[in-house]
Amino acid sequence: VSQDEDLARLLGRVSDRAAERARYEVLDEIARGSMGSVLRVWDEDLRRHIAMKVILEDDASASSTRPSSQDPRTVARFLEEAQVTGQLDHPGIVPVHELGIDRHGRLFFTMKMVKGRTLHEVFRLVRHGVEGWNSTRALGCVLKVCEAMAYAHAKGVLHRDLKPSNVMVGRFGEVYVMDWGLARVMGRADTKDIRPMPEHETTALEQQTERIERSASSDASPLFTMDGDVVGTPSYMPPEQADGLQEQLGPQCDVYAVGAMIYHLLSGSVPYADGGRRRSAYVVLARVLEGPPRPLTELAPDVPPELVAIAETAMARDPGARYASMD
């Protein structure tokens, strides 16, 4: 059975189950990307707030009530994100509750509503020494990211977009790896083209994308894939991903990203940021391809050498020189 036939059958099943009444009350929008919007909704049946990700309509499908009228490639990628996330049953990965089609014909999936702050915000708190945050406590959060990713890799799933803004930290120590939109199941054909889009083609996408982290301390200009997804800052990308070498990506691409997160925590700045100066994503991308970032020993000479060694090993230019697994 071809992948297209599988997709058609799934859409048929979901369409048949479309609710006659509205179970969910949409309250507001939490975030928006190039492919989907995340909404905060009220579940009338279970009396709880949850998150709902809906596929964004294009001009051709805005007046239609059938998901099949939308771009089939976009629909396939949206469904893959829902299925991949839904099959990852781990405390560090947000559970998916339901896949469906709303009364407007939009595909959606619902998830646990995560309350807290991003790991990027936690790193800021560490830097200022407030709310009881320090490097040791923040490293505990990074350790939980490693545990969640070790599980995902054991299931054959790569994240490919790990960064502090894609990790949520709850009030009671919960840590969740979020945003699996660029995930890939190893052994399957890749439905996403993660090569960086040429800079001159990104203007329209920049205008429509609202889910971009804005911070004077990070190089947060959006970097888009050839498919139009936001990859985010290239500062956490391994060189092989920055170079668009999709066939070379394995678990070590996520290992590199965690190493870059540790580098950020220990140095107080994003890799390749050079003191918090804002640079375009394409300038940072070029620097990633040129060579490693400034040594941690220069930026944070008091950091324990064991932690420096961990970050440097994880961020090795050669994937084979990195840790063999997230474990």
Side-chain angles (χ1 to χ4, degrees):
V1 179
S2 71
Q3 192 170 13
D4 289 342
E5 289 174 327
D6 282 340
L7 173 61
R9 290 179 183 178
L10 176 59
L11 287 175
R13 291 196 301 270
V14 172
S15 298
D16 290 342
R17 295 197 304 265
E20 294 294 330
R21 65 182 182 84
R23 172 178 175 178
Y24 305 110
E25 177 187 356
V26 176
L27 301 177
D28 52 33
E29 183 176 84
I30 302 171
R32 173 179 291 246
S34 58
M35 186 174 68
S37 174
V38 181
L39 310 173
R40 185 170 64 97
V41 302
W42 176 250
D43 182 344
E44 292 284 356
D45 290 353
L46 294 177
R47 312 297 294 174
R48 62 180 179 176
H49 289 103
I50 58 174
M52 173 187 287
K53 186 166 187 177
V54 297
I55 193 169
L56 292 179
E57 297 176 333
D58 54 29
D59 293 338
S61 62
S63 60
S64 173
T65 58
R66 294 289 297 173
S68 57
S69 66
Q70 294 169 322
D71 174 44
R73 192 172 176 181
T74 300
V75 171
R77 286 160 50 208
F78 187 86
L79 288 172
E80 182 179 45
E81 179 183 355
Q83 290 180 324
V84 168
T85 312
Q87 292 167 19
L88 295 176
D89 183 13
H90 187 275
I93 300 171
V94 177
V96 170
H97 300 316
E98 179 185 10
L99 173 67
I101 297 174
D102 67 14
R103 291 185 298 177
H104 304 290
R106 299 180 303 178
L107 276 169
F108 71 84
F109 60 90
T110 58
M111 304 168 284
K112 172 187 173 70
M113 172 65 73
V114 177
K115 298 178 181 179
R117 48 170 57 107
T118 68
L119 192 59
H120 188 96
E121 294 171 308
V122 166
F123 287 176
R124 289 191 196 128
L125 297 177
V126 171
R127 193 160 62 250
H128 297 294
V130 296
E131 296 187 24
W133 282 102
N134 55 35
S135 295
T136 301
R137 185 178 173 192
L139 283 168
C141 297
V142 176
L143 179 60
K144 290 183 179 180
V145 172
C146 292
E147 292 169 350
M149 289 312 306
Y151 168 84
H153 290 167
K155 293 292 185 180
V157 178
L158 308 177
H159 190 285
R160 302 195 298 186
D161 194 20
L162 283 176
K163 53 189 175 183
S165 58
N166 277 349
V167 176
M168 291 293 294
V169 180
R171 287 180 55 197
F172 304 102
E174 320 95 293
V175 176
Y176 296 100
V177 178
M178 311 287 289
D179 289 352
W180 294 79
L182 286 180
R184 179 188 179 186
V185 180
M186 291 181 283
R188 287 191 199 169
D190 197 350
T191 61
K192 296 167 282 289
D193 187 345
I194 64 168
R195 291 174 299 160
M197 179 182 289
E199 186 172 10
H200 66 274
E201 297 181 14
T202 65
T203 303
L205 285 169
E206 287 175 354
Q207 292 174 349
Q208 76 181 33
T209 302
E210 300 174 15
R211 192 187 155 279
I212 301 169
E213 187 178 3
R214 301 291 182 185
S215 169
S217 64
S218 67
D219 294 273
S221 299
L223 184 68
F224 296 94
T225 69
M226 295 296 286
D227 284 336
D229 282 327
V230 177
V231 180
T233 172
S235 296
Y236 303 95
M237 281 185 192
E240 65 271 20
Q241 183 173 351
D243 203 22
L245 303 177
Q246 302 181 73
E247 69 281 356
Q248 294 186 17
L249 297 186
Q252 283 70 34
C253 73
D254 291 333
V255 168
Y256 180 99
V258 171
M261 290 160 63
I262 297 173
Y263 179 105
H264 181 174
L265 170 63
L266 299 179
S267 69
S269 63
V270 175
Y272 301 97
D274 284 353
R277 291 180 56 193
R278 293 185 66 86
R279 300 178 183 272
S280 80
Y282 289 88
V283 169
V284 178
L285 186 71
R287 299 188 66 189
V288 172
L289 293 172
E290 287 172 1
R294 188 176 170 189
L296 265 174
T297 50
E298 294 181 8
L299 296 171
D302 296 331
V303 170
E306 295 87 351
L307 288 177
V308 173
I310 290 171
E312 290 181 346
T313 301
M315 295 181 71
R317 305 286 292 175
D318 178 5
R322 297 173 201 154
Y323 293 107
S325 71
M326 196 65 76
D327 286 327

